[in-house]
């Protein structure tokens, strides 16, 4: 049984008395421990899909199953990292992380929550900044706190909505590598199932086991594509290979065309 099953998902909106279809008959599955990126142009429904996975919106028709059960609102089995940090400005980095832990482990004492928070802040390189408030941290540091909070919650599923989209190129690369390192772990624990929304082709290739390519108006799944490169992946070495560039160019052709059945008049084969 798949960890996540998206079955014939359709989402309609009413805007200014006009009906708008954000997603149309979307279906795909994600296995336990799989890292899946959802990519596509603006308007293809990526964030809408993630909001339904979060449990904050409901589909017009179809369903999403987690461990065989339909989603019924938000749940402590899902951690979320947004594009814009979403930290509580009145809480220190340590307290922001501890707050997330409290939501999923109410029996843990404050001392235990702080110990866990400190351990994850150390993992993201912010142990010296644990008593700083978000306003005292750079954007990249705030996002590291948000990632630490989501990972410290130790949920089975991690939902990430363009978490590095507003970060400069250098820190984006650092955070991508950090996320992979934390996700891959040391082999003693099962990997989390990750659904990662992005516009960035290179980011999707580096991070993912599988890429779900979507097209817009309405949002549909064009193709599910297995990333053919072994892990662990060395970015510097990988981008210099012929196989990487061939794969990347085919993805770019699909990404920029935004036509569901044919790409430039010819079927793109991966």
């Amino acid at each position: 049984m798949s960890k996540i099953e998206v079955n014939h998902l359709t989402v309609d909106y009413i805007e200014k008395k006009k009906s708008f279809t954000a997603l149309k008959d979307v279906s795909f599955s994600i296995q336990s421990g799989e890292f899946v990126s959802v990519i596509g142009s603006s308007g293809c429904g990526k964030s809408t899909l993630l909001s339904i996975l979060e449990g904050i919106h409901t589909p017009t028709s179809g369903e999403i199953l987690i461990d065989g059960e339909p989603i019924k609102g938000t749940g402590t089995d899902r951690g979320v990292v947004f594009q814009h940090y979403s930290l509580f400005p009145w809480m220190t980095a340590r307290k922001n992380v501890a707050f997330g832990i409290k939501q999923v482990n109410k029996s843990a004492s404050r001392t235990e929550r702080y110990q866990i928070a400190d351990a994850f802040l150390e993992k993201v390189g912010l142990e010296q900044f644990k008593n700083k408030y978000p306003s005292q941290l750079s954007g990249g540091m705030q996002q590291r706190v948000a990632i630490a909070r989501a990972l410290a919650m130790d949920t089975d599923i991690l939902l990430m909505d363009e978490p590095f989209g507003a970060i400069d190129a250098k820190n984006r690369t650092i955070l991508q590598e950090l996320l992979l390192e934390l996700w891959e772990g040391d082999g003693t624990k099962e990997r989390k199932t990750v659904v990662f929304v992005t516009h960035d082709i290179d980011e999707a290739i580096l991070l993912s086991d599988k890429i779900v390519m979507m097209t817009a108006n309405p949002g549909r799944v064009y193709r599910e594509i297995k990333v053919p490169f072994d892990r662990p992946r060395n970015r510097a070495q990988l981008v210099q290979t012929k196989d990487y560039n061939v794969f990347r160019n085919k993805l770019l052709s699909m990404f920029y065309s935004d036509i569901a059945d044919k790409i430039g008049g010819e079927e793109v084969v991966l």
Side-chain angles (χ1 to χ4, degrees):
M1 181 175 63
S2 299
K3 184 68 176 179
I4 299 172
E5 284 279 354
V6 182
N7 295 324
H8 304 291
L9 199 70
T10 294
V11 178
D12 296 324
Y13 290 119
I14 302 294
E15 291 184 356
K16 297 180 180 179
K17 298 182 180 179
K18 292 184 178 180
S19 178
F20 170 75
T21 300
L23 295 170
K24 179 70 173 179
D25 197 28
V26 170
S27 295
F28 62 92
S29 62
I30 299 174
Q31 302 306 308
S32 181
E34 195 171 25
F35 197 124
V36 175
S37 286
V38 180
I39 64 176
S41 59
S42 295
C44 72
K46 302 185 299 295
S47 292
T48 298
L49 174 64
L50 212 66
S51 72
I52 296 171
L53 274 164
E54 290 174 45
I56 60 177
H57 290 112
T58 56
T60 305
S61 62
E63 63 181 357
I64 298 181
L65 306 178
I66 295 178
D67 293 327
E69 297 294 328
I71 293 175
K72 297 178 180 177
T74 57
T76 55
D77 58 337
R78 284 154 280 159
V80 185
V81 180
F82 300 99
Q83 181 174 351
H84 295 292
Y85 322 138
S86 299
L87 300 178
F88 297 115
W90 61 87
M91 290 185 182
T92 63
R94 185 192 211 192
K95 289 183 178 179
N96 263 285
V97 177
F99 179 85
I101 298 166
K102 185 177 182 179
Q103 306 314 300
V104 298
N105 187 2
K106 298 187 184 301
S107 64
S109 67
R110 184 171 70 171
T111 298
E112 290 171 330
R113 293 196 299 271
Y114 282 172
Q115 287 175 343
I116 296 169
D118 289 349
F120 276 89
L121 286 170
E122 182 177 2
K123 287 178 186 289
V124 300
L126 292 177
E127 65 273 20
Q128 295 180 356
F129 299 89
K130 65 183 182 182
N131 293 318
K132 298 292 185 181
Y133 291 90
S135 62
Q136 298 173 302
L137 303 173
S138 69
M141 294 168 77
Q142 289 184 56
Q143 194 64 315
R144 277 190 272 170
V145 175
I147 291 170
R149 180 175 61 188
L151 292 170
M153 290 170 67
D154 199 25
T155 58
D156 292 339
I157 297 170
L158 190 58
L159 307 175
M160 309 188 80
D161 191 0
E162 297 189 64
F164 311 139
I167 297 173
D168 65 87
K170 180 180 179 180
N171 279 312
R172 185 183 185 118
T173 298
I174 291 170
L175 288 173
Q176 288 168 350
E177 298 287 355
L178 173 65
L179 175 61
L180 269 185
E181 180 184 337
L182 294 175
W183 174 74
E184 290 175 342
D186 59 6
T188 59
K189 294 184 67 175
E190 185 176 347
R191 290 174 175 170
K192 299 185 183 306
T193 305
V194 180
V195 185
F196 190 97
V197 167
T198 182
H199 282 98
D200 190 317
I201 294 287
D202 294 292
E203 183 171 70
I205 296 173
L206 175 70
L207 298 176
S208 309
D209 297 310
K210 181 172 69 178
I211 295 171
V212 176
M213 174 73 71
M214 298 188 67
T215 55
N217 303 316
R220 299 175 185 267
V221 172
Y222 171 63
R223 187 167 295 172
E224 298 178 52
I225 307 141
K226 179 177 172 57
V227 178
F229 307 115
D230 294 335
R231 297 186 186 274
R233 294 172 188 159
N234 182 299
R235 181 198 304 268
Q237 294 176 3
L238 183 62
V239 299
Q240 296 181 44
T241 64
K242 179 181 178 181
D243 288 345
Y244 177 87
N245 285 288
V246 169
F247 184 72
R248 180 180 186 272
N249 287 338
K250 288 180 177 179
L251 286 177
L252 283 170
S253 295
M254 297 166 65
F255 182 78
Y256 286 112
S257 180
D258 209 30
I259 299 174
D261 298 320
K262 298 289 182 179
I263 305 298
E266 296 182 2
E267 189 74 17
V268 173
V269 179
L270 283 170

